[in-house]
Amino acid sequence: DPTGVSWRWPVTRRTVLPSGEVLTLRPLERGDRVAWESLRRRNRAWLSRWESTVPGEPRRPMSFRRLRRGFDLAARDGVLLPFVIDVDGRIVGQMQLFDVVWGSRAGGWAGYWLDEATTGRGYATWGLATLLDHALLIAGLHRVEVGIRPENTASLAVVARLRLPEEGLRRGLMHVEGAWRDHRCFAVLAEDLGPGGFAEGGLVALLRRSG
């Protein structure tokens, strides 16, 4: 246990959506290969606008086997929670906690992507709420940040619905789509989900109360 608290891997979290659908955050499994590769292939152009790049290096897709192994090792080391978003048994994207640090900071970053065909159904909002609740109420983190490019109106709507406090603009925060991009940054603390916090009981509970 890298944290001395309650970090575990593999782990699965489920949330029943208002539609009755079951959204599950779970590890990428060996049997997901065909569905995963098809999903990534269909969404290549859609995702290229938002996914990070490495300066001076071309995109090199990693094999499914290496990707899954890398996810598993990083998760067991306590630096990554690499979930897929599964809705009623179908993978619709990825929701992850990354750049996790422990010790005096006990924090990380949250990010996600969705199949373009499934946007607008609340999956990102409910998935992010589920991830943040797990990170702050169960896994033992104190702070999770979310960085969003100013032009990404869909993701800005997600954090607005979750009422995540904004902490300002961070210039050139990440290399995306071939250039250093500014990001608006939001953060949530474990105390925010506790007694007297803006989302007492968790962000999933906040969504249920807000209707």
Side-chain angles (χ1 to χ4, degrees):
D1 187 336
T3 71
V5 285
S6 51
W7 182 276
R8 295 288 184 270
W9 186 261
V11 66
T12 297
R13 307 297 300 173
R14 292 184 177 86
T15 299
V16 179
L17 306 186
S19 64
E21 297 169 300
V22 178
L23 183 147
T24 304
L25 300 185
R26 63 168 177 82
L28 188 63
E29 299 170 354
R30 185 178 293 109
D32 292 327
R33 179 173 181 170
V34 172
W36 177 265
E37 291 180 346
S38 174
L39 184 66
R40 294 292 305 182
R41 188 166 51 248
R42 290 198 315 271
N43 285 275
R44 186 175 292 120
W46 160 252
L47 295 176
S48 66
R49 288 194 62 200
W50 312 115
E51 291 193 324
S52 60
T53 48
V54 178
E57 293 186 12
R59 290 181 182 269
R60 291 190 179 90
M62 188 178 295
S63 72
F64 179 84
R65 182 178 178 183
R66 285 187 61 199
L67 180 72
R68 185 171 170 269
R69 185 171 185 272
F71 280 169
D72 188 62
L73 289 174
R76 292 183 186 280
D77 284 342
V79 296
L80 180 72
L81 278 180
F83 292 118
V84 294
I85 307 169
D86 177 309
V87 177
D88 285 351
R90 181 169 61 100
I91 297 175
V92 299
Q94 184 177 10
M95 182 74 62
Q96 64 179 357
L97 188 70
F98 62 97
D99 285 355
V100 177
V101 294
W102 295 99
S104 61
R105 288 178 56 192
W109 289 78
Y112 65 89
W113 59 265
L114 280 181
D115 178 3
E116 185 178 13
T118 66
T119 58
R121 302 181 191 180
Y123 298 156
T125 304
W126 286 87
L128 185 57
T130 302
L131 177 70
L132 294 173
D133 282 357
H134 177 77
L136 297 167
L137 296 175
I138 298 172
L141 290 183
H142 174 252
R143 172 184 169 91
V144 178
E145 300 178 58
V146 181
I148 301 172
R149 288 174 59 183
E151 59 270 40
N152 190 343
T153 54
S155 284
L156 290 173
V158 168
V159 295
R161 189 175 177 199
L162 294 177
R163 305 181 192 173
L164 300 191
E166 184 169 4
E167 296 189 334
L169 183 74
R170 296 182 69 173
R171 298 180 302 133
L173 177 67
M174 190 177 300
H175 200 267
V176 179
E177 199 184 11
W180 293 104
R181 308 291 182 176
D182 298 345
H183 285 66
R184 289 174 61 181
C185 289
F186 303 79
V188 58
L189 307 180
E191 293 93 328
D192 294 330
L193 310 189
F198 76 87
E200 184 172 347
L203 290 160
V204 169
L206 174 71
L207 287 176
R208 296 205 191 285
R209 288 195 298 270
S210 60

